């Protein structure tokens, strides 16, 4: 059963003020506003604006499936799936359940919504690639008979049709007759007393038809005065001649109104009898529109589906979605610099350092938002495939928590929120992501650094992953004291004195205060005095500088390798495409040749059958035999010409090609001939000898030996992303499932399987599986440059 509307908007998780504060700090509601622009109806936009990401892992996986299928569905229709005709039925359904009568417009909205739901269900049911959406709409009841009944009784504007009931049709016919008679009699009165009229128009006052009579001529047209002009010069008179007709017209109008209300009440009762199903239908439609909005927003982000893994992060070329919207949609701000989050499974805490305005806080918010997007079924603006752990909770302490009303300093405000985060992790252990901005700031630097170090050590044991930004140099050393810590920094260009907004992993940020001061021409003596106070840290700065130089060199080499790898993949793809085209051409030629042979064979059979019939009828056998011989010669292919070459013998006269001389062959040594010409002897290969005349050429012609087959060469084994599987961190069962799926569609050739070293259990399980798989011809450890014993290369048949 699809979820009801409240579960579309509100998570099943218990409400947590701490989580709601996290949504505010990460600006989740702003992202929901961007998502809402991709919805088509007010109710769909409301669902987007109230989207809550706190869901279970199973729900998030289902929502990601729905988003992926909504992309397929939307892409299959020119211009996308249309949601035209869908309305918010909830207020009308609530009123009709209380016994109220719906207006014609509300009933038409119900009918058009039913029609739109039926069209959507047919569209989804026709596509087998949409199992989640098909399951979702399978319980829909669209009541086509109710839709037909509404449109039989009402037009598209909600007005009751004459055909709604025979009584209504008869009453409206009477109404038109009375109206026509009143108009005719009024025109007769006007023609009899034209001088008494202020105007020749027929007006209406209080639902009665009147003439505009001059006050000075009121005696000429006697009747009921219903009104007068402001000046009193004009009276609005209903002549006595039409009073009775007017009364009957009003009675008919009352009867018509009663009949229309009866029809609307009957239709409302039909709607009320199925109100529960219509509420369910409304919930499904809202869910479908929300899935389409997530799909369209994901496409706008150029997003890829996230994969939940046990631990570690693999988010490459990530862009902050709100900043990217600001640049692409609003044309504001600088270009968004993509960053990477790549962490091994063992890392539990990351310390990010670097200068102010360098992008540390943006990095925290980017990761936090991406985790929430994945939980809410939205694809991530990152390179494929984005991988991240499942975080049950996301907790953040970002920004200035100073509060004058509560008499809290910045430091106290941060400590208060961090204390609530710690209490939550203690009371409800769960895989959580904790984001701390400027941890330990706002107090004495020595005590703040010590407190921050203790807090990060504690969180590394309680939370699945903690990211913290800081200016404290002491926290950089945690990586070398605890195996679960990692350093990162935001890059700073010392030449331009500006941040590059790139996030560098494995290297702590250096202090750039001296570089900035030196470039801004601060007195050198001051810098020298200050340098004496940093003697203890100078060695660390040198180590960091060396690491940065090494990183720059490795990045340059990595870029070269990446470029070469891209070229090789392009070449490999071109070779595959050419091989496929050649195979298709060969198959086409073979088919054409086979068709031609079958045609010739059929014709030959017919001629042979005709010859046999002639023989049976008593024709001359010699003539029939001659005819069959003609058929044989006509249909049998001519013998292929034998390729020959000139092979002279000892004593033959020959001409030396290229020398213009003749001589006699006096010796033969394999393919080398000794020719005497006068007093000279020439040793030449047979290919440089020509016959003297045609008679000699015919005598010495021999069939040419077939060329020797070219030497076989080993196939080119090129490693690409398509034939490489990374199974690190998987169980043996999961690895076997992935291998089985890949082997079912992979072409013959090598497959590189990355399993790592670890305990060796995964490698043993994979190799045991490969040993019994029918497609595996052989397998062995990879070359040292390809990973050695941490990678197994399997050759597929």
């Amino acid at each position: 059963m699809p979820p009801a509307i409240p579960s579309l908007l509100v998570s099943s998780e218990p409400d947590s003020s701490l989580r709601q504060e996290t949504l505010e700090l990460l600006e989740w509601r702003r992202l929901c506003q961007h998502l809402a622009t991709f919805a088509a109806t007010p109710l769909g936009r409301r669902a987007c604006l109230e989207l809550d990401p706190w869901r279970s892992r199973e729900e998030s996986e289902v929502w990601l499936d729905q988003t992926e299928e909504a992309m397929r569905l939307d892409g299959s229709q020119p211009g996308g799936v249309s949601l035209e005709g869908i309305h918010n039925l909830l207020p009308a359904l609530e009123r009709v359940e209380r016994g109220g009568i719906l207006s014609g417009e509300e009933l038409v909205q119900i009918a058009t919504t039913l029609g739109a739901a039926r069209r959507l269900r047919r569209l989804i049911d026709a596509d087998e690639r949409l199992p989640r959406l098909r399951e979702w709409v399978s319980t829909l009841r669209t009541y086509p008979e109710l839709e037909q009944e509404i449109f039989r009784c009402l037009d598209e504007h909600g007005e009751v049709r004459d055909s709604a009931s025979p009584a209504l049709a008869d009453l409206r016919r009477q109404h038109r007759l009375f109206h026509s008679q009143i108009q005719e009699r009024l025109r007769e009165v006007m023609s009899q007393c034209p001088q008494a009229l202020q105007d020749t128009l027929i007006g209406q006052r209080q639902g009665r038809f009147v003439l505009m009579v001059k006050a000075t001529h009121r005696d000429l047209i006697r009747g009921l005065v219903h009104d007068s002009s402001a000046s009193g010069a004009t009276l609005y008179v209903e002549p006595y001649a039409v009073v009775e007709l007017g009364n009957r017209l009003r009675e008919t109008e009352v009867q018509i109104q009663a009949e229309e209300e009866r029809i609307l009440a009957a239709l409302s009762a039909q709607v009320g009898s199925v109100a529960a199903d219509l509420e369910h239908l409304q919930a499904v439609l809202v869910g479908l529109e929300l899935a389409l909005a997530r799909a369209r927003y994901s496409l706008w982000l150029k997003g890829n589906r996230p994969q939940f893994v046990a631990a570690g992060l693999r988010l490459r070329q990530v862009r902050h979605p709100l900043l990217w919207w600001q640049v692409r949609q609003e044309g504001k701000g600088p270009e968004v610099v993509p960053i990477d989050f790549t962490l091994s499974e063992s890392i539990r805490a990351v310390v990010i350092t670097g200068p102010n305005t360098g992008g540390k806080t943006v990095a925290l918010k980017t990761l936090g938002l991406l985790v929430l997007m994945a939980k809410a079924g939205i694809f991530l603006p990152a390179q494929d495939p984005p991988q991240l752990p499942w975080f049950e909770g996301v907790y953040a302490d970002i920004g200035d928590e100073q509060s004058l009303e509560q008499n809290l300093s910045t430091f106290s405000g941060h400590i208060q929120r961090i204390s609530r985060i710690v209490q939550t992790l203690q009371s409800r252990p769960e895989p959580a992501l904790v984001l701390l901005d400027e941890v330990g700031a706002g107090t004495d630097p020595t005590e703040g650094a010590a407190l921050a170090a203790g807090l990060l050590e504690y969180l590394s044991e309680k939370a699945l992953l903690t990211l913290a930004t800081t200016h404290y140099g002491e926290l950089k050393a945690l990586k070398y004291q605890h195996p679960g810590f990692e350093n990162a920094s935001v890059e700073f260009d010392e030449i331009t004195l500006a941040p590059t907004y790139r996030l560098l992993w494995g290297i702590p940020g250096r202090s750039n205060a001296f570089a900035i001061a030196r470039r801004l021409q601060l007195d050198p003596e001051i810098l020298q005095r200050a340098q004496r106070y940093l003697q203890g840290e100078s060695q660390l700065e040198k180590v960091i500088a060396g690491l940065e130089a090494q990183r720059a060199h490795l990045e340059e080499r990595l870029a070269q390798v990446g470029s070469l790898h891209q070229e090789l993949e392009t070449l490999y793809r071109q070779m595959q495409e050419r091989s496929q085209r050649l195979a298709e051409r060969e198959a086409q030629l073979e088919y054409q040749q086979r068709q031609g042979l079958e045609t010739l064979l059929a014709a030959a059979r017919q001629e042979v059958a005709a010859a046999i019939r002639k023989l049976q009828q008593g024709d001359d056998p010699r003539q029939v035999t001659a005819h069959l011989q003609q058929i044989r010669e006509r249909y049998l292919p001519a013998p292929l010409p034998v390729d020959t070459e000139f092979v002279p013998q000892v004593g033959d006269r020959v001409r030396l090609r290229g020398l213009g001389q003749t001589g006699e062959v006096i010796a033969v040594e394999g393919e080398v001939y000794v020719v005497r010409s006068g007093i000279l002897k020439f040793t030449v290969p047979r290919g440089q000898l020509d016959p003297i005349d045609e008679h000699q050429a015919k005598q010495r012609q021999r069939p040419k030996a077939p060329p020797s087959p070219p030497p076989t060469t080993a196939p080119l084994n090129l490693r690409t992303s398509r034939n490489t599987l990374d199974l690190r961190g998987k169980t043996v069962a999961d690895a076997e499932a992935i291998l089985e799926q890949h082997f079912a569609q992979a072409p013959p050739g090598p497959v590189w399987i990355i399993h790592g070293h670890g305990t060796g259990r995964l490698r043993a399980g994979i190799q045991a599986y490969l040993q019994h798989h029918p497609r595996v011809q052989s397998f062995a450890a990879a070359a040292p440059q390809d990973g050695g014993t941490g990678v197994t290369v399997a050759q597929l048949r």
Side-chain angles (χ1 to χ4, degrees), residues 430-616:
E430 59 183 10
L433 171 66
V434 180
L435 306 172
L436 304 177
D437 189 28
E438 299 297 344
V439 59
T443 187
D444 176 75
T446 303
E447 294 183 357
L451 182 61
L455 173 63
L456 292 179
E457 286 184 6
Y458 179 83
L459 290 177
S460 69
E461 300 171 359
K462 296 295 183 180
L464 183 58
L465 180 62
T466 301
L467 266 70
T469 68
T470 183
H471 285 288
Y472 293 140
E474 293 85 347
L475 300 185
K476 303 173 186 178
L478 290 174
K479 172 183 177 179
Y480 309 104
Q481 300 171 5
H482 301 277
F485 274 74
E486 180 59 280
N487 281 328
S489 61
V490 288
E491 191 177 48
F492 183 83
D493 192 332
E494 295 185 3
I495 298 178
T496 62
L497 297 182
T500 65
Y501 303 107
R502 294 178 60 203
L503 191 60
L504 308 179
W505 291 91
I507 300 176
R510 283 195 295 155
S511 171
N512 296 285
F514 280 79
I516 296 174
R518 188 177 298 108
R519 185 167 179 80
L520 296 179
Q521 299 180 352
L522 184 64
D523 192 317
E525 183 179 352
I526 298 176
L527 295 176
Q528 292 176 2
R529 289 173 179 265
Q531 192 69 42
R532 290 199 298 268
Y533 291 95
L534 289 179
Q535 294 301 322
E537 297 184 8
S538 59
Q539 189 63 29
L540 177 61
E541 294 293 330
K542 291 179 181 178
V543 172
I544 294 175
L547 289 174
E548 288 187 348
Q550 184 179 9
R551 175 195 55 79
H553 176 69
L554 290 176
E555 283 188 350
E556 182 180 355
R557 295 294 300 274
L558 181 61
Q560 295 173 355
V561 171
S563 177
L564 179 59
H565 186 269
Q566 187 67 30
E567 292 178 4
L568 289 175
E569 283 201 342
T570 301
L571 178 60
Y572 180 68
R573 186 168 54 254
Q574 292 174 350
M575 292 171 61
Q576 284 187 321
E577 292 174 354
R578 174 178 291 184
S579 175
Q580 183 177 359
R581 287 196 300 269
L582 289 175
E584 292 173 354
R585 178 61 178 166
E586 181 179 355
Q588 182 181 6
L589 291 175
E590 182 180 353
Y591 174 77
Q592 293 174 352
Q593 184 180 12
R594 187 169 60 251
Q595 290 293 104
L597 290 174
E598 290 177 357
T599 302
L600 289 175
L601 182 59
R605 285 174 176 171
Q606 291 178 358
E607 293 193 28
V608 170
I612 293 174
R613 283 195 298 270
K614 289 181 180 181
L615 184 62
Q616 292 173 346

Side-chain angles (χ1 to χ4, degrees), residues 1-5 89-90 92-94 96-98 110 114 139-143 146 268-284:
M1 293 287 290
I5 287 181
L89 309 183
L90 296 182
L93 295 177
E94 182 180 358
V96 79
E97 286 179 327
R98 296 178 179 177
I110 290 174
L114 289 173
T139 57
L140 277 185
R141 297 191 63 185
T142 57
Y143 293 100
L146 176 59
S268 299
Q270 294 185 45
V271 171
S273 66
V274 296
D277 289 339
L278 296 183
E279 290 176 356
H280 173 72
L281 178 141
Q282 182 83 81
V284 173

Side-chain angles (χ1 to χ4, degrees), residues 209-220:
F209 290 96
V210 296
L211 297 177
M212 288 175 277
V213 180
K214 297 177 182 177
T216 55
H217 295 69
R218 62 177 300 177
D219 294 335
L220 294 180

Side-chain angles (χ1 to χ4, degrees), residues 655-761:
R655 178 178 288 107
L656 296 171
R657 186 184 303 172
L659 298 179
Q661 297 187 15
T662 61
E664 179 184 356
V665 178
I666 60 174
V668 179
E669 299 175 1
E671 293 295 317
V672 179
Y673 289 73
V674 180
V675 179
R676 182 172 58 198
S677 178
I679 62 174
L680 300 178
K681 290 183 180 180
F682 299 92
T683 301
V684 294
R686 175 159 50 88
Q688 294 185 5
L689 301 179
D690 291 330
I692 297 293
D693 51 36
E694 294 182 2
H695 177 72
Q696 184 193 27
K698 291 179 180 179
Q699 286 183 331
R700 296 291 184 255
Q701 290 292 336
R702 299 289 187 273
K704 183 182 293 186
S708 58
T712 58
T713 58
L716 176 62
N717 293 336
L718 181 64
R719 180 177 178 180
T720 69
S721 58
R722 297 182 181 179
N723 58 13
T724 301
L725 299 177
D726 191 348
L727 303 182
R728 288 175 293 183
K730 306 292 184 183
T731 64
V732 174
D734 291 342
E736 290 180 355
I738 295 173
L739 289 171
E740 184 65 33
Q741 181 179 4
H742 181 80
F743 288 174
Q745 57 189 2
V751 178
W752 279 262
I753 304 169
I754 304 174
H755 45 66
H757 295 90
T759 62
R761 184 180 303 170

Side-chain angles (χ1 to χ4, degrees), residues 21-22 24-26 360-362 364-365 396-403 409-415 417-418 435-442 469:
E21 290 174 14
T22 297
E24 295 176 6
L25 292 173
L26 297 178
K360 299 191 301 297
T361 305
V362 170
L364 292 186
K365 290 187 174 182
D397 177 48
I398 300 174
D400 187 359
E401 286 302 305
Q402 185 178 26
S403 174
S409 67
T410 298
F411 178 75
S412 301
H414 282 297
I415 292 300
R417 174 170 287 157
I418 291 172
L435 306 172
L436 304 177
D437 189 28
E438 299 297 344
V439 59
T469 68

